């Protein structure tokens, strides 16, 4: 059942009434349009594809302008996402457009090094919006929404099948962003090869469970054209900002020696289909799908990780305040538990340290007593040696004194003999 049919059905307990005359709330759509025009719109496109596949050229062609482009090589050490924001205006409608380009995508040997930076970038934009939502004082009315609304995934025109990197990357992203696959440089393969290639791509996407963006069918005004366009996916595109003279008019085209490929000629490529579906018909649905589907999924997962749920274990509804109080109580209990554990650990470590210090003190005391005992023994031995030395010195002194006395007596006796001898000679 279409959403418009559901909206027309009265809710239970609501009584429909007819009006007796004009009231004025039929101007609400006009009020909404005027307010939206005053505020302006934002749209963010992520372009994923190999270096040199034509991402920048296609963006210039889509929006009929020349964006600031930077040349990149195949030798980037890692994938970098370069986001550039522009303010565009068409008639009285202002659009803040952000183009995010994947620089160096597919140039790495490790496939994860190619797609992981893209996944991280998308999650960061969701996280920024979630943090703004969770603020006490929010300013969402003038917040620059950087969430990615559409992902143009550029497929190399090999004519055979998708690369494993393409499948892995799209599988990682299909729950986070609206993926619109496009075959780049479609003028390099023939129409028959292109038709087979499209069928092969869609078959591989389905068999690998990759969910690409399907143009909505719930709006009766665009259901028919969207149904037709869903059958043309992936779009085979050609981009060019150069104008070539065809007949008596100038058209955007690519000039080749064998002829001219007109960008806006639907017999040559699907560029017009892509532009109509992406910008003219489904831009608002892409923005809505990003918010109601992809962002809500991210928000729900993040809040569930934080412990917030809509129902209790008995499947009864739980308010945010109840959940917060329950989580707060759990946190306080856990905090008290950890505090007790830390206190017990601290006491245990203090006791262990005290035991170590006491053991060290006993060892030091034992060592001190041992050293003291050795010192006393050495002192006693030294004193004994000193006493013996003093005894030897005293004995030596006595012997020396005795020897000196004998020597003196001998000298005295010899002198006396010499004197007597001399005296006897004179006589």
């Amino acid at each position: 059942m279409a959403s418009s049919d559901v909206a027309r059905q009265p809710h239970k307990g609501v009584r429909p009434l007819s009006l007796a005359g004009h009231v004025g709330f039929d101007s609400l759509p006009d009020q909404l349009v005027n307010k939206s025009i005053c505020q302006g719109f934002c749209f963010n496109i992520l372009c994923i594809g190999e270096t040199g596949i034509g991402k920048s050229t296609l963006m210039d062609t889509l929006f009929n302008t020349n964006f600031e482009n930077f040349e990149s090589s195949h030798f980037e050490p890692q994938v970098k996402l370069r986001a550039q924001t522009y303010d565009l205006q068409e008639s009285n409608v202002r659009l803040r457009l952000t183009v995010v380009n994947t620089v160096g995508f597919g140039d790495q040997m490790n496939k994860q090094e190619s797609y992981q930076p893209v996944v991280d970038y998308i999650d960061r934009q969701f996280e920024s919006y979630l943090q703004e939502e969770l603020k006490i004082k929010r300013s969402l009315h003038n917040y620059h929404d950087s969430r990615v609304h559409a992902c143009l995934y550029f497929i190399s025109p090999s004519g055979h099948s998708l690369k494993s990197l393409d499948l892995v990357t799209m599988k990682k992203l299909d729950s986070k962003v609206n993926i619109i696959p496009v075959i780049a440089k479609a003028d390099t393969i023939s129409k028959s090869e292109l038709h087979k290639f499209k069928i092969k791509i869609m078959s591989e996407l389905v068999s690998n469970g990759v969910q690409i963006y399907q143009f909505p069918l719930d709006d009766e005004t665009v259901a028919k054209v969207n149904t037709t366009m869903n059958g043309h996916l992936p779009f085979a595109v050609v981009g060019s900002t150069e104008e070539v003279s065809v007949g008596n008019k100038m058209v955007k085209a690519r000039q080749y020696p064998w002829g001219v490929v007109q960008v806006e000629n639907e017999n040559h490529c699907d560029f017009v289909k892509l532009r109509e579906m992406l910008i003219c018909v489904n831009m608002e649905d892409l923005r809505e799908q990003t918010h109601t589907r992809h962002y809500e999924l991210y928000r729900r997962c993040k809040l569930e990780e934080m412990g917030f749920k809509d129902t209790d274990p008995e499947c009864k509804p739980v308010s945010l305040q109840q959940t917060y109080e329950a989580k707060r109580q759990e946190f306080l209990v856990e905090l008290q538990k950890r505090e007790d554990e830390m206190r017990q650990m601290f006491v245990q470590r203090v006791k262990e340290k005290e035991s170590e210090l006491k053991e060290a003190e006993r060892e030091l005391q034992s060592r001190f007593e041992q050293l003291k005992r050795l010192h006393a023994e050495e002192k006693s031995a030294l004193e004994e040696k000193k006493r013996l030395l003093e005894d030897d010195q005293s004995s030596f002194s006595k012997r020396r004194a005795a020897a000196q006395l004998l020597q003196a007596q001998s000298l005295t006796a010899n002198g006396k003999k010499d004197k007597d001898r001399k005296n006897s000679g004179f006589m």
Side-chain angles (χ1 to χ4, degrees):
M1 181 180 294
S3 60
S4 58
D5 296 335
V6 175
R8 284 194 293 267
Q9 291 181 353
H11 293 282
K12 186 178 180 180
V14 179
R15 185 162 60 97
L17 292 176
S18 60
L19 302 177
H22 180 262
V23 177
F25 58 78
D26 59 349
S27 66
L28 275 173
D30 297 330
Q31 297 176 35
L32 182 60
V33 169
N34 293 333
K35 183 178 180 180
S36 299
I37 291 176
C38 291
Q39 290 179 346
F41 301 88
C42 74
F43 192 67
N44 307 316
I45 300 179
L46 171 63
C47 298
I48 303 179
E50 301 171 359
T51 303
I53 203 169
K55 301 185 293 293
S56 301
T57 303
L58 183 65
M59 295 309 299
D60 291 347
T61 312
L62 271 174
F63 291 93
N64 201 21
T65 187
N66 291 317
F67 295 116
E68 186 179 6
N69 298 319
F70 300 90
E71 292 185 3
S72 56
S73 68
H74 289 276
F75 303 101
E76 296 290 340
Q78 58 185 3
V79 176
K80 298 178 183 177
L81 281 90
R82 182 184 295 129
Q84 295 171 284
T85 303
Y86 308 92
D87 286 329
L88 308 178
Q89 184 166 347
E90 186 177 31
S91 299
N92 63 336
V93 178
R94 292 178 292 109
L95 176 67
R96 175 159 290 183
L97 175 68
T98 299
V99 179
V100 186
N101 194 8
T102 52
V103 180
F105 180 82
D107 295 335
Q108 288 70 34
M109 295 296 293
N110 187 347
K111 293 182 178 61
Q112 185 174 357
E113 294 179 359
S114 290
Y115 71 76
Q116 194 58 48
V118 182
V119 174
D120 295 340
Y121 176 85
I122 296 174
D123 285 344
R124 282 198 303 271
Q125 311 319 307
F126 283 151
E127 184 64 26
S128 298
Y129 194 89
L130 177 61
Q131 292 302 320
E132 184 65 27
E133 267 195 339
L134 295 177
K135 285 182 179 178
I136 295 176
K137 187 177 180 180
R138 302 186 298 180
S139 56
L140 291 174
H141 61 283
N142 59 1
Y143 173 77
H144 175 55
D145 186 3
S146 60
R147 296 172 298 176
V148 178
H149 300 122
C151 170
L152 293 182
Y153 195 96
F154 290 72
I155 300 170
S156 179
S158 63
H160 301 291
S161 61
L162 289 171
K163 298 179 181 179
S164 58
L165 175 59
D166 298 330
L167 290 171
V168 171
T169 303
M170 284 192 275
K171 185 62 179 176
K172 291 290 183 181
L173 297 179
D174 63 355
S175 62
K176 298 178 181 293
V177 69
N178 301 309
I179 300 176
I180 302 176
V182 295
I183 301 173
K185 298 182 178 181
D187 53 342
T188 59
I189 53 178
S190 65
K191 281 192 174 182
S192 59
E193 290 176 337
L194 185 60
H195 179 69
K196 294 177 181 177
F197 191 33
K198 283 187 174 186
I199 296 175
K200 180 68 173 177
I201 289 173
M202 295 305 295
S203 174
E204 289 183 345
L205 292 177
V206 172
S207 62
N208 286 276
V210 178
Q211 300 291 326
I212 63 173
Y213 175 73
Q214 295 289 319
F215 303 117
L217 307 177
D218 53 354
D219 187 351
E220 296 177 357
T221 59
V222 295
K224 184 176 180 181
V225 64
N226 279 349
T227 301
T228 303
M229 291 300 106
N230 282 330
H232 284 85
L233 289 172
F235 293 127
V237 297
V238 177
S240 176
T241 56
E242 298 178 1
E243 292 191 346
V244 178
S245 176
V246 177
N248 58 353
K249 62 179 180 179
M250 301 295 291
V251 296
K252 288 185 174 63
R254 300 187 72 88
Q255 181 78 52
Y256 292 101
W258 44 263
V260 176
V261 177
Q262 299 178 36
V263 172
E264 296 181 337
N265 189 334
E266 294 192 47
N267 293 322
H268 292 183
C269 68
D270 297 332
F271 173 80
V272 174
K273 296 183 179 66
L274 173 64
R275 184 176 60 188
E276 292 293 317
M277 292 297 99
L278 178 66
I279 301 175
C280 303
V281 179
N282 297 302
M283 180 178 279
E284 181 56 32
D285 184 73
L286 288 164
R287 287 158 39 91
E288 183 181 345
Q289 286 292 319
T290 298
H291 183 77
T292 60
R293 180 187 169 195
H294 301 299
Y295 171 69
E296 282 299 319
L297 176 61
Y298 177 86
R299 177 179 175 274
R300 185 185 71 194
C301 293
K302 292 295 288 188
L303 292 179
E304 286 178 351
E305 287 178 9
M306 297 166 63
F308 293 97
K309 294 182 179 179
D310 293 331
T311 57
D312 59 12
E314 300 177 357
C315 296
K316 295 181 180 179
V318 180
S319 67
L320 183 63
Q321 182 178 359
Q322 290 175 322
T323 305
Y324 171 77
E325 290 296 335
K327 293 300 295 182
R328 181 175 179 272
Q329 191 61 34
E330 290 178 10
F331 174 76
L332 292 176
V333 171
E334 182 67 20
L335 184 63
Q336 184 64 39
K337 180 181 177 181
R338 292 190 178 184
E339 185 179 346
D340 294 340
E341 291 177 354
M342 291 181 66
R343 186 180 293 107
Q344 294 176 2
M345 186 181 298
F346 176 75
V347 172
Q348 181 66 25
R349 289 187 176 181
V350 168
K351 290 181 179 179
E352 291 176 357
K353 197 65 179 178
E354 287 180 350
S355 177
E356 292 176 3
L357 290 174
K358 288 181 179 179
E359 183 65 26
E361 184 180 3
R362 285 194 295 270
E363 291 179 0
L364 287 173
Q365 185 65 29
S366 175
R367 181 66 177 167
F368 173 73
E369 293 295 336
Q370 183 180 3
L371 291 174
K372 185 177 179 181
R373 190 165 53 253
L374 291 174
H375 175 69
E377 293 175 356
E378 290 178 358
K379 183 178 179 181
S380 176
L382 288 173
E383 288 179 350
E384 179 65 23
K385 289 181 179 180
K386 181 180 178 182
R387 186 182 62 77
L388 294 175
L389 182 60
E390 289 176 348
D391 291 345
D392 291 342
Q393 186 178 4
S394 174
S395 176
F396 175 75
S397 297
K398 290 179 181 180
R399 288 197 299 270
R400 186 177 65 175
Q404 289 176 348
L405 179 61
L406 289 175
Q407 185 178 7
Q409 290 176 355
S410 175
L411 290 173
T412 304
N414 290 336
K416 186 176 180 182
K417 287 179 180 180
D418 291 340
K419 187 177 180 181
D420 290 344
R421 192 179 300 115
K422 288 179 181 181
N423 289 333
S424 65
F426 287 117
M427 292 178 61

